[in-house]
Amino acid sequence: MAEAGRAGGSPAAARRPVPPRPPAGRGRAVQVSVIVPVHNSECWLDECLKSVWEQDFKETMELSVFNDASKDGSAEIIEKWKIKLEDAGVPVIIGSNDSSQPRGVGFAKNQAVIQSSGTYLCFLDSDDVMMPQRVRLQHEAAIQHPNSIIGCQVRREPLESTERYTRWINNLTDEQLLIQPTVYLCCAQESIKKALSRYVPVLENCLRIILVFTSHGPTVIMPTWFCSREWFFHVGKFDEGGKGVPEDLLFFYKHIQKGGEVFRVNHCLLLYRYHPQAATHSVLEGTIWNHRVRFLEERVLSSWTSFTIWNAGKQGKKLYRSLSPANRKKVTAFCDVDEKKITKGFYTYEESECLVAPKTKLTSNPVCPSTEGYCFFLQERPKPKIPIHHFRDATPPFIICVKLDLTDGAFETNLNMLNLKEGMDYYHFN
């Protein structure tokens, strides 16, 4: 549970049973379905489901649980809480995958959504705990923002785990949640407008391209998501590829591509657990990196003719190598503050390819002198050499590959002194 000051109520109020709600099904539609995928969650499930029972939401609410081939005591815990919740006026729908192998988080979430009936969906991981006012406050926000993913601030447990990431989650400004640089195109360019009309609205003789890009992934994290059922199915469900697939990141990208927005309730409404068994650890870092690079290329670099990579070290070079050949050609320079890197002058891309030169007729064939022969020569493609500048001498726009909150404010000070606008002059990618 959150501390009293963070959660917005006293500890006693957070623990007392809530009054029974008006039961759904008697001419009343379910307003909110709490969506809980479960796989071997007995260590945390009691506290998780108790937090559903403690919600102070006064409208109709249901719990939709999908048990994905758990082999521990999760099923028994679910049945126990089904009785308590239904006594409190909260219907419980239970689905299960009874095979020997789990189908994965994406499949379990989709099944829990499909079997539910709420107008709104509140996603809850089985190892996390909601604060009593979470459903009420996010429901209020979702009504005002129908095409948005609604998030909230979180408290991490253990407190010292992922400190920088937690600060980033909780402290993004409203503008940083959804960066909206605007590109205006002449109305006469009908071919361009037609090509882009799948993704962006035409607004008063212009096209507004909404770009969302973040340094770590979704600006509101999956365990805090709340959205309308209609919007969820408009985006198109979670990827069901199973273990190792970042289903939340892929859904978030689809959400943005379909014109979705992001809104955060600025209250701590979730206890967000970090532990070795968390499903997020099954996703390889390289998989997430590759998806993010492709999204960067599609949503940002496709509209840039040139750019500078801020960081001439490991991360900046990794990004350069990960780009498509066409986007590598757009990199005019690296920039840094490290004098050794700047003095070096260039980064040389060593992974160049060989070219096959045109065939050359031999005057004599050394293998068989009486026959004509041809020789093909391999020529090494010139290795690209990208200059390295001091950041003050570099030309925007920038893709910034510097980790935030690690230099006692030195990097942030350097960035601020350039008076650049995030989402127009630079994007973070680290």
Side-chain angles (χ1 to χ4, degrees), residues 395-424:
T395 304
F398 298 100
I399 297 298
I400 298 176
C401 297
V402 179
K403 292 183 179 180
L404 302 174
D405 200 14
L406 272 183
T407 58
D408 293 326
F411 163 72
E412 288 78 4
T413 299
N414 290 337
L415 179 59
N416 289 337
M417 70 184 290
L418 298 181
N419 295 316
L420 302 175
K421 182 173 178 59
E422 184 174 2
M424 183 175 295

Side-chain angles (χ1 to χ4, degrees), residues 289-328:
W289 175 274
N290 290 335
H291 282 299
R292 291 176 57 233
V293 170
R294 300 290 82 82
F295 186 76
L296 172 69
E297 292 186 314
E298 175 192 340
R299 305 295 290 180
V300 178
L301 302 186
S302 61
S303 63
W304 287 358
T305 58
S306 63
F307 64 97
T308 299
I309 294 177
W310 189 320
N311 186 348
K314 181 179 178 181
Q315 289 295 303
K317 293 174 182 177
K318 179 180 178 181
L319 173 61
Y320 177 85
R321 294 192 299 268
S322 301
L323 296 173
S324 67
N327 283 313
R328 283 201 296 266

Side-chain angles (χ1 to χ4, degrees), residues 343-392:
T343 302
K344 186 177 178 182
F346 291 91
Y347 164 61
T348 303
Y349 181 45
E350 297 291 346
E351 298 175 23
S352 59
E353 300 172 351
C354 291
L355 293 173
V356 179
K359 65 181 181 180
T360 303
K361 186 175 181 179
L362 299 175
T363 56
S364 64
N365 188 336
V367 177
C368 183
S370 63
T371 63
E372 291 185 336
Y374 292 89
C375 179
F376 293 86
F377 293 96
L378 293 179
Q379 295 180 341
E380 187 175 35
R381 187 190 299 272
K383 294 181 174 67
K385 297 179 71 174
I386 300 93
I388 302 173
H389 301 311
H390 193 280
F391 77 90
R392 286 193 297 267

Side-chain angles (χ1 to χ4, degrees), residues 141-204:
I143 292 172
Q144 299 299 317
H145 304 275
N147 296 341
S148 292
I149 290 177
I150 310 297
C152 65
Q153 294 175 324
V154 303
R155 181 162 70 91
R156 204 61 154 138
E157 186 178 278
L159 279 172
E160 67 277 5
S161 61
T162 65
E163 290 181 84
R164 290 173 51 243
Y165 181 56
T166 304
R167 280 197 295 273
W168 179 79
I169 292 168
N170 289 335
N171 296 322
L172 285 168
T173 65
D174 291 342
E175 184 180 16
Q176 289 170 324
L177 286 172
L178 184 61
I179 302 165
Q180 297 187 327
T182 303
V183 178
Y184 294 93
L185 301 175
C186 174
C187 277
Q189 297 176 288
E190 291 299 329
S191 60
I192 298 177
K193 291 167 70 172
K194 183 176 180 180
L196 291 176
S197 62
R198 293 172 53 203
Y199 301 100
V200 294
V202 178
L203 299 175
E204 297 180 355

